[in-house]
């Protein structure tokens, strides 16, 4: 009898241990994740913008063809996007829900798990977006929505916000609009880039002011390599070594060190501010150079999987590739699920080659 009781107790203890172990394993690395930026990380905010144009939404087939239930959710991807995949690395199921999908009463409760504020077509400048999309949820509005939600949460939330991850991926649309729609007045590229970085800095300061401390920032990629931009570069006879539109790529290459130095300065000025900066230019080059990474053998680098990369875009009647894991681009502007998955892995675990000064895993583990 004593033996049996002992055995039962042992089994119970093992079960409890197992529960504790699983409980720990399932606990995300940060309490919540807040996402800001453009279509690379939008999970459906634009669905709720009545005046946003069709090509600035992704809530129709063939978007989501590899998403659970083949749902077109508003993600500009065949499956998950970068926000989802980074969230998954952190231990969440996917990105937190789009802010604009939440009824007012749901906003404060959802703050404890995270919210996604990103909007396709938006940029670092609030003037970026309306010309292309008519309506976007601009970065100022994204940040204001976050800070006002933090205020409404009242006291006792500083700890939650400071331990949470702020994930920002934006800037590409500013570069697209600057190079695709040149104005007649001569422009100074350096001043333009400085204005983008100044805007980044002031938005990050507002987030810091609301209590945020952990920032994962992604620099704009070689956006001239998007299928849509390769065509423009070809027409303008302005191509780089990769056959990409040189002008926007030249801007992204200059922007990375500017962002690096801005973030260094902020971390010096703002006590407790920590960050991880992803070098998208370097990561894009790695793939464009033909490097085969674990689980990532991209053999089609210049054409999208869905559509022809031209103005028609990706929709229910556009052509669809079969082997989506071998395509770098899903449509004329956005990476495939497979490509953003590799990118998320780098942001999370890169040992210091393309992510500085620490990776997102290290950032998440910091205890302020
Ligand atoms: C940014 O968004 C806010 C809120 O929707 C809007 O009032 C403002 O006009 C927008 N800014 C620009 C430059 O479009
Ligand atoms: C927060 O705390 C401060 C001082 O501790 C107090 O004055 C203020 O009313 C509190 N605000 C809320 C929303 O509870
Ligand atoms: C630029 O110049 C062209 C031709 O001179 C003119 O038609 C167009 O309206 C100008 N655009 C702007 C933004 O000034
Ligand atoms: C562009 O702007 C920068 C910064 O204001 C300035 O140093 C530079 O001289 C300008 N370049 C030209 C060609 O005007
Ligand atoms: C890609 O190849 C070019 C040319 O060989 C080289 O300059 C560059 O450093 C490479 N980039 C990466 C990230 O490997
Ligand atoms: C990558 O894919 C190509 C085309 O399918 C294949 O020929 C090549 O062997 C693959 N490379 C690796 C390292 O798997
Ligand atoms: C759908 O996409 C195809 C290919 O990009 C394009 O030719 C067609 O015009 C698009 N249809 C609509 C309704 O936008």
């Amino acid at each position: 009898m004593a033996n049996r009781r002992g055995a039962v107790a042992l089994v119970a203890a093992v079960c409890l241990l197992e529960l504790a172990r699983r409980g720990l394993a399932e606990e995300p690395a940060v309490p919540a994740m807040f996402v800001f930026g453009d279509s690379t990380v939008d999970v459906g905010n634009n669905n709720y913008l009545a005046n946003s144009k069709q090509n600035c939404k992704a809530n129709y087939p063939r978007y989501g063809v590899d998403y659970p239930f083949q749902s077109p959710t508003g993600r500009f991807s065949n499956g998950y996007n970068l926000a989802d995949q980074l969230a998954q690395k952190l231990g969440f199921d996917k990105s937190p829900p789009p802010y604009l999908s939440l009824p007012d009463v749901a906003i404060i409760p959802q703050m404890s798990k995270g919210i996604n504020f990103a909007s396709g077509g938006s940029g670092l400048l609030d003037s970026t977006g309306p010309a292309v999309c008519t309506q976007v949820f601009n970065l100022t509005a994204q940040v204001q929505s976050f800070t006002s939600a933090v205020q409404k949460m009242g006291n006792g939330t500083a700890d939650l916000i400071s331990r949470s991850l702020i994930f920002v991926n934006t800037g590409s649309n500013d570069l697209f609009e600057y190079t695709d729609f040149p104005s007649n007045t001569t422009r100074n590229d350096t001043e333009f880039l400085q204005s983008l970085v100044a805007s980044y800095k002031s938005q990050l300061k507002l987030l810091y002011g609301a209590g945020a401390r952990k920032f994962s920032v992604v620099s704009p990629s070689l956006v001239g390599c998007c299928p849509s931009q390769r065509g423009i570069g070809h027409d303008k006879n302005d191509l780089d070594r990769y056959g990409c539109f040189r002008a926007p790529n030249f801007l992204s290459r200059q922007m990375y060190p500017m962002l690096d130095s801005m973030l260094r300065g902020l971390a010096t000025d703002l006590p407790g501010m920590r960050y991880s900066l992803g070098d998208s230019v370097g990561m894009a080059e790695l793939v464009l150079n033909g490097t085969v990474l674990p689980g990532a053998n991209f053999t089609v680098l210049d054409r999208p999987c869905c559509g022809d990369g031209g103005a028609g875009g990706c929709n229910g009647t556009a052509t669809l590739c079969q082997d989506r894991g071998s395509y770098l681009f899903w449509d004329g502007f956005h990476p495939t699920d497979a490509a953003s998955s590799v990118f998320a892995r780098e942001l999370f675990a890169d040992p210091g080659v393309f992510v500085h000064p620490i990776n997102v895993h290290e950032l998440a583990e910091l205890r302020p």
Side-chain angles (χ1 to χ4, degrees):
M1 199 59 194
N3 267 348
R4 247 187 61 196
R5 279 234 294 273
V8 169
L10 185 65
V11 168
V14 168
C15 289
L16 283 174
L17 273 175
E18 177 63 15
L19 265 178
R21 192 188 62 78
R22 277 202 284 165
L24 284 176
E26 282 169 11
E27 192 76 19
V30 289
M33 176 177 176
F34 299 96
V35 183
F36 301 85
D38 59 25
S39 56
T40 55
V41 291
D42 185 352
V43 291
N45 277 306
N46 279 14
N47 301 350
Y48 298 87
L49 299 179
N51 298 321
S52 190
K53 283 192 189 158
Q54 167 94 348
N55 63 338
C56 295
K57 295 186 180 181
N59 55 353
Y60 48 87
R62 307 179 186 273
Y63 289 97
V65 66
D66 298 316
Y67 195 82
F69 308 107
Q70 301 197 333
S71 304
T73 57
R75 289 167 170 81
F76 295 79
S77 170
N78 54 310
Y80 289 112
N81 70 18
L82 186 62
D84 294 310
Q85 286 156 331
L86 191 65
Q88 286 162 353
K89 299 276 176 216
L90 290 163
F92 297 100
D93 283 348
K94 56 177 187 248
S95 162
Y99 173 76
L100 296 177
S101 73
L102 300 170
D104 278 355
V105 293
I107 293 172
I108 302 308
Q110 186 61 43
M111 286 292 283
S112 64
K113 287 287 168 215
I115 296 181
N116 186 318
F117 299 88
S119 167
S122 71
L124 281 162
L125 304 178
D126 290 341
S127 53
T128 294
V132 175
C133 300
T134 308
Q135 190 185 14
V136 299
F137 190 46
N138 62 43
L139 190 57
T140 296
Q142 294 178 30
V143 169
Q144 267 171 7
S145 303
F146 171 78
T147 55
S148 84
V150 172
Q151 275 162 14
K152 284 190 199 125
M153 286 173 80
N155 292 332
T157 59
D159 187 49
L160 165 75
I161 302 298
S162 66
R163 282 162 50 228
S164 297
L165 183 76
I166 304 292
F167 181 49
V168 196
N169 191 357
T170 185
S172 301
N173 290 316
D174 304 280
L175 303 185
F176 285 138
E177 290 199 17
Y178 184 79
T179 48
D180 289 0
F181 314 116
S183 74
N184 293 345
T185 52
T186 35
R187 294 176 297 180
N188 182 324
D189 289 358
T190 308
E191 279 179 358
F192 170 66
L193 291 171
Q194 283 170 348
S195 75
L196 297 188
V197 175
S199 166
Y200 224 137
K201 184 175 179 178
S202 63
Q203 301 291 359
L204 293 175
K205 278 172 120 168
L206 289 170
L207 295 168
Y208 176 91
R213 292 295 178 268
K214 298 182 176 191
F215 299 86
S216 165
V217 171
V218 180
S219 75
S221 188
L222 292 176
V223 293
C225 293
C226 292
S228 60
Q229 304 302 299
R230 286 173 180 261
I232 295 173
H234 191 264
D235 293 346
K236 294 191 191 228
N237 199 18
D238 185 21
L239 297 173
D240 67 11
R241 64 183 316 154
Y242 298 110
C244 306
F245 186 9
R246 190 202 57 89
N249 282 357
F250 187 55
L251 294 173
S252 348
R253 285 180 190 281
Q254 294 172 76
M255 198 163 162
Y256 174 75
M258 293 170 74
L259 282 177
D260 189 35
S261 120
M262 181 272 286
L263 285 164
R264 256 177 235 246
L266 267 191
T268 308
D269 292 348
L270 306 176
M273 188 248 181
R274 305 299 298 263
Y275 71 93
S276 168
L277 172 62
D279 173 10
S280 304
V281 170
M283 288 186 261
E285 261 194 1
L286 192 69
V287 172
L288 293 165
N289 282 354
T291 317
V292 176
L293 304 164
N297 182 5
F298 299 110
T299 51
V300 187
L301 305 174
D302 56 348
R303 296 189 310 277
C305 170
C306 180
D308 62 5
C314 170
N315 59 42
T317 57
T319 54
L320 177 69
C321 73
Q322 287 310 304
D323 186 9
R324 294 190 276 280
S326 62
Y327 277 69
L328 183 56
F329 289 98
W330 161 245
D331 64 9
F333 290 93
H334 304 101
T336 52
D337 173 308
S340 49
S341 163
V342 170
F343 195 38
R345 191 174 68 201
E346 286 299 315
L347 290 178
F348 191 73
D350 177 275
V353 184
F354 297 117
V355 184
H356 302 282
I358 53 176
N359 61 36
V360 174
H361 188 200
E362 291 162 331
L363 182 67
E365 294 295 328
L366 289 175
R367 293 286 167 262

